């Protein structure tokens, strides 16, 4: 039987070649593996909006005789504990706490954080981050998209990135919606999208629209089988594993810092001039406190 990662990777690769209905079914499998594993076929059809026979057809397209065989792959993955709802993960965390000391729990968080950061530097090496930054610097605008838990990290990119260059634009402004901003994306722009599984559908759909319009899309996501990967020109892989009940963003932040750091290195001397002006204006407006003596 194929492994879960192999099935997800295959679905990602065949997705663009499928009919619109089977594309919708495949996207549901990619985005909601825990539902495939735990829900009845009828419930999956209801939640996805795709008729029952189409899931059987999709299973055959990717090499399974029956949908039940495909579902078994997802069910096995949930059994080993990689997927599950936040409730189940919170319950596992509490169970771990009852059976272990605080020092043991602390050590598991420490090990997880270190592993996630190490993963960031293994998956996004100097060559990849350099080539991605060159592409971003050659674009007119860099549009940032992320929803739900990913949204604050796009705000952070805009906040720090705008100190470097005036071309960072956050999609989905306060009081607005992402669709309102998609109209302004041009072919020589870039989209930087963050989506960790379970991926926010609106973020993936925004990346898809940009990708289909010929825009350079950088996807920060946790698997090549992620729904976002299908619509990314460049994929920057992150790790989300943690003893916490929620996905970890430590690895994603490390990758964001790599991108912004390399942009500061390569954007030219005008970056230093721009930052100096920003700091000067902040001092005039007294917008922050500093331990450094002001003159």
């Amino acid at each position: 039987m194929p492994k879960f990662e192999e099935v997800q990777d295959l679905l990602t690769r065949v997705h663009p070649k499928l009919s619109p209905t089977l594309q919708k079914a495949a996207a549901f499998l990619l985005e909601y593996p825990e539902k495939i594993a735990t829900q009845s076929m009828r419930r999956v059809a209801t939640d996805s909006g795709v008729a029952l026979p189409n899931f059987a057809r999709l299973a055959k397209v990717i090499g399974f005789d029956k949908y039940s065989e495909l579902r078994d792959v997802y069910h096995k993955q949930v059994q080993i504990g990689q997927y599950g709802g936040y409730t189940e993960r919170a319950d596992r965390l509490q169970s771990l706490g009852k059976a272990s000391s605080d020092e043991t729990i602390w050590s598991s968080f420490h090990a997880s954080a270190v592993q996630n950061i190490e993963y960031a530097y293994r998956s996004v090496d100097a060559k990849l981050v350099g080539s991605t930054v060159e592409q971003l610097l050659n674009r007119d605008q860099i549009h940032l998209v992320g929803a739900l838990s990913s949204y604050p990290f796009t705000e952070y990119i805009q906040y720090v990135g705008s100190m470097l260059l005036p071309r960072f634009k956050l999609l989905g402004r306060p009081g607005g919606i992402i669709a309102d901003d998609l109209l302004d994306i041009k072919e020589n722009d870039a989209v930087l999208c963050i989506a960790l599984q379970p991926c926010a559908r609106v973020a993936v759909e925004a990346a898809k629209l940009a990708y289909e319009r010929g825009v350079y899309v950088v996807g920060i996501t946790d698997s090549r089988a992620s729904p976002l990967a299908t619509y990314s020109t460049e994929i920057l892989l992150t790790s989300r594993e943690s003893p916490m009940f929620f996905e970890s963003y430590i690895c994603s932040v490390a990758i964001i810092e790599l991108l912004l750091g390399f942009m500061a290195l390569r954007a030219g001397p005008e970056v230093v001039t721009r930052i100096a002006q920003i700091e000067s204006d902040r001092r005039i407006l007294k917008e922050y406190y500093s331990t450094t003596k002001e003159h």
Side-chain angles (χ1 to χ4, degrees):
M1 181 180 292
K3 294 181 179 179
F4 170 78
E5 292 81 5
E6 294 172 343
V7 172
Q8 292 286 86
D9 184 59
L10 180 58
L11 284 170
T12 301
R13 287 187 281 111
V14 304
H15 186 278
K17 305 172 186 177
L18 299 172
S19 67
T21 300
L22 291 188
Q23 281 187 343
K24 190 174 180 181
F28 192 84
L29 265 73
L30 287 166
E31 190 168 354
Y32 300 108
E34 73 285 355
K35 290 187 177 183
I36 301 300
T38 60
Q39 295 180 353
S40 68
M41 190 174 177
R42 189 175 300 278
R43 178 60 185 274
V44 167
T46 300
D47 288 355
S48 65
V50 179
L52 289 172
N54 292 296
F55 285 93
R57 294 190 187 103
L58 178 62
K60 288 184 178 296
V61 167
I62 60 174
F64 292 88
D65 291 332
K66 301 176 182 178
Y67 172 76
S68 59
E69 295 176 356
L70 172 61
R71 182 180 181 274
D72 285 345
V73 175
Y74 287 81
H75 183 66
K76 183 177 180 181
Q77 189 68 14
V78 168
Q79 282 184 321
I80 65 175
Q82 183 167 347
Y83 287 96
Y86 297 127
T87 303
E88 289 85 356
R89 282 184 258 169
D91 185 62
R92 285 199 297 269
L93 178 59
Q94 287 203 342
S95 297
L96 180 64
K98 292 175 183 177
S100 307
S101 66
D102 287 350
E103 288 76 13
T104 300
I105 305 300
W106 182 92
S107 295
S108 67
F109 274 89
H110 176 222
S112 174
V114 171
Q115 289 169 8
N116 282 334
I117 292 174
E118 288 179 344
Y119 183 92
Y121 285 89
R122 288 198 309 270
S123 65
V124 183
D125 59 21
K127 183 177 179 181
L128 178 56
V129 72
S131 63
T132 302
V133 164
E134 287 297 329
Q135 286 284 349
L136 292 174
L137 289 176
N138 287 326
R139 305 290 161 164
D140 296 330
Q141 295 283 331
I142 302 172
H143 302 271
L144 309 169
V145 59
L148 304 178
S149 58
S150 295
Y151 182 78
F153 298 93
T154 58
E155 286 188 311
Y156 173 74
I157 297 172
Q158 184 194 38
Y159 180 83
V160 179
S162 294
M163 294 181 70
L164 305 174
L165 300 164
R167 67 181 71 168
F168 288 88
K169 184 176 180 181
L170 190 64
L171 295 181
R173 299 155 293 176
I177 56 178
I178 289 177
D180 295 345
D181 298 330
L182 290 173
L183 179 66
D184 298 326
I185 298 179
K186 308 302 180 186
E187 191 170 344
N188 199 47
D189 290 348
V191 167
L192 176 57
C193 180
I194 306 175
L196 308 188
Q197 295 196 56
C199 299
R201 181 178 293 276
V202 66
V204 175
E205 290 297 326
K208 177 184 178 182
L209 281 173
Y211 182 80
E212 291 175 344
R213 293 173 185 176
V215 176
Y216 178 75
V217 177
V218 178
I220 297 179
T221 189
D222 56 341
S223 170
R224 292 191 180 277
S226 158
L228 177 59
T230 304
Y231 311 112
S232 297
T233 315
E234 193 66 74
I235 304 170
L236 305 182
L237 286 178
T238 181
S239 172
R240 64 185 175 90
E241 299 306 314
S242 171
M244 247 283 280
F245 69 91
F246 206 79
E247 292 78 36
S248 172
Y249 274 83
I250 291 174
C251 186
S252 300
V253 171
I255 291 173
I256 290 168
E257 290 187 355
L258 272 173
L259 290 176
L260 293 173
F262 270 66
M263 291 186 83
L265 285 169
R266 299 191 175 187
E270 62 271 19
V271 164
V272 178
T273 302
R274 179 179 174 84
I275 293 175
Q277 184 62 59
I278 289 173
E279 287 201 303
S280 175
D281 291 343
R282 285 182 174 183
R283 291 191 185 97
I284 292 172
L285 295 175
K286 296 180 171 29
E287 286 195 315
Y288 59 75
Y289 290 102
S290 175
T291 55
T292 303
K293 185 177 180 180
E294 304 287 350
H295 295 284

